[in-house]
Amino acid sequence: MEVPFLSLQDVTNKNFKELSAAVNRVVSSGWYLQGNETEQFEKDFAKFIGTNHCIGVANGLDAIIWIFRAYIELGIMKPGDEVIVPANTYIASILAITENNLVPVLVEPDIHTYEIDDGKIEAAITDRTRAILIVHLYGRCAYSEKIGALCQKYNLKLVEDNAQAHGCMYHGQRTGSFGDSAHSFYPGKNLGAFGDAGAVTTNDKLLADTIRSLANYGSSRKYVFQYKGRNSRLSEINAAVLDVKLKYLDADNGRRIQIAKRYIEGIKNPAIILPEYPHDTTNVFHIFPIRTGNRDALQAYLKENGVQTIIHYPIPPHKQEAYHEWNHLSFPITEQIHTEELSLPMSPTLTDEQVDYVIGCINRFEY
Ligand SMILES: *Cc1c(COP(=O)(O)O)cnc(C)c1O
């Protein structure tokens, strides 16, 4: 049997007719940017997340960049200010901070949740700290009441990188609505477009207006430029596609959760550490991360058996050449996760037979 990590073709085929109709509608309309489709999706996504505002932008990285850039334009932050961020995130979270000449302060994750360790944040706060950027990594909620309380106590902005967790809830509230939040609709994400796309959600009208302007050349009135902005707009075709897929997001996440439960109940191999199934939040399992001391052997074995896996991620940000100034730093938990993590196939289109096949392969793996 062949089990792909994620077949985007299968994901698209689920709603092929509806998606084609949406694309054709835009093609026929002759209107491709800043139109009804974007407006409708922004409205629907804000409602879904539970915020007053949504601004569609070009991609997820830009969404994070714009939040910090807007803080700077609004005088809330200035270059050199510090932002607390998990050490084990996708590089985009960190690039968005340094792009704005802000200083990332890396904090270790919890080895059980893989989310930022909220017990280690306070020690990292200095008088230059202006924000905590939490990343809902792998689809699990990183927010906690403790993090909310720290933001209050030290007057810090809470920014959420919700690229991997569309639909995730914390005590009934969606991630992406706790602070000012960035979303990526990269095709492989739980809510994915046909190409690059992203959005910011927020309850702050001034922030929303500033970001809408920044992402449109720094202009909110035609040919009048208030900021040195860029072109970072969401296309009408992608807005139309996303609006179709948004209707099925909760059901798709529900299927991901079923698959995760099946993995967790079925995998019985002492060499494998399974992800926790959290009870106080939903986990929308963008990724199903397992850990093992013999990761490369397990990956090769699964490949021989037709099971495609991916590593999220093989090299932590502080060991990247792009951040050579951090290469000497030591974050043991982060490094352990990057050494041991392996992501099993995960997609709402996987069948129970495929999942059981993966489980059988893993249970027969000899360490
Ligand atoms: C995908 C991702 C991003 C970046 O999104 P793009 O749309 O690819 O720019 C940012 N942060 C995290 C955690 C991601 O997984």
Side-chain angles (χ1 to χ4, degrees):
M1 190 185 285
E2 292 289 319
V3 187
F5 179 75
L6 164 66
S7 163
L8 288 178
Q9 194 162 37
D10 288 350
V11 171
T12 299
N13 283 342
K14 246 168 29 85
N15 309 108
F16 191 86
K17 273 197 177 148
E18 212 180 341
L19 290 167
S20 301
V23 169
N24 284 332
R25 182 176 69 235
V26 179
V27 171
S28 313
S29 77
W31 194 278
Y32 307 117
L33 279 171
Q34 295 178 299
N36 297 336
E37 304 288 347
T38 300
E39 198 177 314
Q40 189 62 49
F41 173 68
E42 287 175 342
K43 216 184 259 176
D44 292 339
F45 194 65
K47 184 164 176 228
F48 176 85
I49 294 291
T51 56
N52 293 335
H53 310 281
C54 169
I55 307 101
V57 299
N59 57 67
L61 172 61
D62 276 2
I64 322 174
I65 288 176
W66 293 134
I67 292 172
F68 287 107
R69 174 72 188 277
Y71 289 152
I72 292 172
E73 295 293 350
L74 294 170
I76 296 166
M77 288 182 194
K78 56 182 182 317
D81 284 347
E82 293 173 2
V83 177
I84 288 174
V85 61
N88 65 319
T89 182
Y90 182 58
I91 198 82
S93 321
I94 296 183
L95 286 171
I97 299 170
T98 54
E99 171 87 11
N100 279 296
N101 298 309
L102 297 164
V103 180
V105 175
L106 307 182
V107 169
E108 285 266 57
D110 180 304
I111 190 64
H112 302 294
T113 66
Y114 310 134
E115 309 302 331
I116 192 167
D117 185 341
D118 63 8
K120 289 186 178 153
I121 293 176
E122 194 161 18
I125 295 175
T126 73
D127 55 9
R128 305 296 306 261
T129 310
R130 294 291 173 271
I132 303 175
L133 170 55
I134 55 174
V135 181
H136 304 295
L137 197 71
Y138 303 148
R140 181 174 174 154
C141 176
Y143 180 78
S144 67
E145 260 139 52
K146 194 165 185 171
I147 291 175
L150 285 171
C151 290
Q152 289 267 319
K153 182 174 172 188
Y154 293 95
N155 192 24
L156 307 176
K157 285 287 180 188
L158 177 66
V159 182
E160 298 175 72
D161 180 340
N162 201 41
Q164 301 192 0
H166 311 127
C168 180
M169 299 247 203
Y170 177 78
H171 296 307
Q173 187 181 342
R174 302 270 187 200
T175 58
S177 68
F178 290 89
D180 301 321
S181 304
H183 308 265
S184 162
F185 308 120
Y186 175 83
K189 298 287 159 78
N190 286 28
L191 179 59
F194 291 167
D196 280 317
V200 173
T201 52
T202 179
N203 285 319
D204 181 339
K205 169 119 190 354
L206 191 57
L207 188 84
D209 290 345
T210 308
I211 289 173
R212 195 175 288 289
S213 170
L214 283 167
N216 184 37
Y217 289 104
S219 169
S220 42
R221 223 167 13 112
K222 212 164 183 170
Y223 304 123
V224 179
F225 301 92
Q226 190 177 0
Y227 306 109
K228 296 182 187 79
R230 266 201 289 118
N231 177 354
S232 173
R233 297 177 298 225
L234 176 64
S235 71
E236 287 280 280
I237 284 185
N238 273 323
V241 164
L242 289 166
D243 210 44
V244 170
K245 289 177 129 188
L246 180 60
K247 290 190 289 182
Y248 304 104
L249 180 58
D250 277 335
D252 287 348
N253 285 340
R255 177 63 188 149
R256 286 175 184 269
I257 292 166
Q258 275 181 354
I259 292 166
K261 278 191 168 149
R262 204 171 183 94
Y263 275 141
I264 288 170
E265 282 159 17
I267 296 175
K268 293 191 170 54
N269 183 329
I272 308 289
I273 299 166
L274 294 165
E276 281 181 349
Y277 189 82
H279 292 287
D280 59 336
T281 74
T282 51
N283 180 338
V284 291
F285 288 99
H286 172 59
I287 298 293
F288 189 87
I290 63 171
R291 276 170 41 226
T292 175
N294 208 0
R295 191 247 321 267
D296 294 349
L298 176 61
Q299 186 173 40
Y301 160 86
L302 288 172
K303 186 175 176 205
E304 275 165 32
N305 285 279
V307 177
Q308 192 190 5
T309 59
I310 297 184
I311 297 166
H312 293 92
Y313 300 88
I315 307 170
H318 71 281
K319 294 293 182 194
Q320 298 287 353
E321 203 180 326
Y323 291 105
H324 54 86
E325 63 274 30
W326 295 340
N327 288 176
H328 67 284
L329 298 178
S330 162
F331 292 95
I333 297 169
T334 295
E335 286 157 34
Q336 184 186 351
I337 294 169
H338 284 75
T339 308
E340 298 181 346
E341 195 275 344
L342 189 69
S343 306
L344 299 187
M346 177 52 85
S347 158
T349 61
L350 285 180
T351 63
D352 285 349
E353 292 67 37
Q354 286 177 309
V355 176
D356 289 344
Y357 175 74
V358 176
I359 292 169
C361 288
I362 292 180
N363 287 345
R364 283 190 301 277
F365 175 66
E366 288 187 24
Y367 188 54

